[in-house]
Amino acid sequence: MEVRTACSPKDAKYYTTDRLREEFLIQDLFIPDETKMVYSHIDRIITGSAMPVNKDITLVAGDEIRAEYFLERREMGVINIGGKGIVVADGVSYEMDYKDGMYIGMGTKDIVFKSVDSSNPAKFYLNSTPAHKTYPTVHIKPENCVNVELGSLEEANHRVITKYILPGQIESCQLVMGMTSLKPGSVWNTMPCHTHDRRMEVYLYFELPEDAVVFHYMGEPNETRHIVMRNEEAVISPSWSIHAASATRAYTFIWGMAGENQAFDDMDAVAMKDLR
């Protein structure tokens, strides 16, 4: 498990392109028959993946979290962005279609990831946060989630927000998770932008062709920076940073949040005139 420390905005504004990518960008997530985990000191979120191809993958804790098993003191959200798969949680099997999600509660000891077809393997994307209470494990179908349509084609930001894990729908201790899909012809998300000082966020961009790129915008509103990203790459967004993007074509991204509260609308809007 890779460990990344927190970062001050006073330091980040002096980072080179390579340093920005080293601190915030997560690449090479989906490696056949392996897990990849990045532990961030920012709200102690773990961003990871599991891609079973020729064998099943059992989730292990790793020395970095000093736990008997991965979810001893944690909760986890899972979304499958690959072929059909199966998640086995304490002996109960859940069939995971494309874009199906799961919330797995604290105290779940044995977690196994499987693919149904090795020629089209599942790609399980994971967000895990510390927890203080056990909530039920739930299989989440996107068609049963809250869906909100925002933006317009004229503003190039016509998009649908699908809320997977949030209060009143799928309960958790602190993890909030969902997906945003841009309509054809739209390329902007979260613009006008905002920060939320009480929560950090991680984005995973996908459904992009090989030759497409996403420009992920970050930094303080008056000290913006960008990171060029490609398909199936993730980025860590500290609480003090904006988190918006434009791309060379429409795309989808998964967002996961952790921190002080779970209020989706708890954000500090940034006026367009104040961006620099």
Side-chain angles (χ1 to χ4, degrees):
M1 187 182 299
E2 180 185 352
V3 177
R4 300 195 189 182
T5 56
C7 169
S8 166
K10 294 179 181 179
D11 296 328
K13 66 183 181 180
Y14 297 110
Y15 286 177
T16 63
T17 296
D18 286 344
R19 181 69 186 278
L20 279 173
R21 295 172 69 86
E22 179 185 349
E23 294 288 342
F24 302 109
L25 180 63
I26 303 173
Q27 296 178 294
D28 302 319
L29 271 167
F30 298 101
I31 303 170
D33 297 322
E34 292 186 17
T35 60
K36 177 165 182 172
M37 299 288 170
V38 175
Y39 180 109
S40 174
H41 283 190
I42 303 172
D43 286 307
R44 303 287 168 174
I45 195 168
I46 294 176
T47 302
S49 59
M51 184 178 170
V53 179
N54 300 306
K55 63 179 183 179
D56 301 343
I57 297 176
T58 299
L59 188 63
V60 297
D63 293 338
E64 293 80 4
I65 62 174
R66 296 294 192 273
E68 181 183 344
Y69 53 95
F70 194 89
L71 295 186
E72 183 180 11
R73 301 183 300 272
R74 288 182 159 268
E75 60 188 358
M76 185 167 68
V78 180
I79 297 179
N80 178 23
I81 65 166
K84 190 170 184 177
I86 297 170
V87 177
V88 183
D90 280 349
V92 180
S93 295
Y94 301 86
E95 293 188 359
M96 299 281 285
D97 292 324
Y98 185 60
K99 294 185 178 178
D100 276 11
M102 280 187 70
Y103 171 79
I104 306 178
M106 183 185 73
T108 305
K109 290 186 176 181
D110 299 315
I111 301 171
V112 181
F113 300 102
K114 303 181 179 184
S115 289
V116 173
D117 181 358
S118 61
S119 65
N120 183 26
K123 294 180 178 180
F124 297 107
Y125 175 67
L126 320 173
N127 282 171
S128 174
T129 57
H132 59 271
K133 179 181 177 180
T134 298
Y135 286 98
T137 294
V138 181
H139 182 198
I140 307 166
K141 304 292 287 187
E143 58 266 29
N144 297 330
C145 294
V146 172
N147 287 275
V148 180
E149 193 165 342
L150 296 174
S152 67
L153 184 58
E154 289 77 14
E155 296 174 306
N157 65 353
H158 190 193
R159 62 201 189 275
V160 176
I161 299 174
T162 304
K163 300 177 181 181
Y164 283 61
I165 302 170
L166 78 166
Q169 181 172 296
I170 304 298
E171 300 294 336
S172 66
C173 286
Q174 67 162 311
L175 179 64
V176 176
M177 202 169 178
M179 182 183 298
T180 299
S181 301
L182 274 71
K183 298 287 189 178
S186 290
V187 297
W188 281 97
N189 80 70
T190 323
M191 186 62 72
C193 63
H194 60 262
T195 61
H196 27 70
D197 199 47
R198 289 147 296 281
R199 293 178 297 164
M200 61 82 66
E201 194 156 7
V202 178
Y203 278 7
L204 170 78
Y205 293 100
F206 69 108
E207 292 191 328
L208 280 162
E210 186 176 345
D211 61 348
V213 297
V214 173
F215 290 83
H216 178 83
Y217 303 103
M218 62 164 297
E220 293 181 292
N222 63 346
E223 284 280 356
T224 59
R225 301 291 186 269
H226 73 269
I227 298 176
V228 176
M229 299 178 59
R230 291 171 172 81
N231 190 45
E232 297 180 356
E233 294 182 343
V235 62
I236 299 168
S237 177
S239 302
W240 48 262
S241 176
I242 66 167
H243 39 279
S246 61
T248 54
R249 56 155 293 162
Y251 52 93
T252 301
F253 65 97
I254 296 170
W255 39 268
M257 292 184 277
E260 181 71 20
N261 65 31
Q262 296 174 294
F264 184 84
D265 294 328
D266 180 16
M267 56 187 70
D268 302 309
V270 177
M272 296 293 277
K273 65 180 179 61
D274 294 330
L275 281 176
R276 294 179 55 190

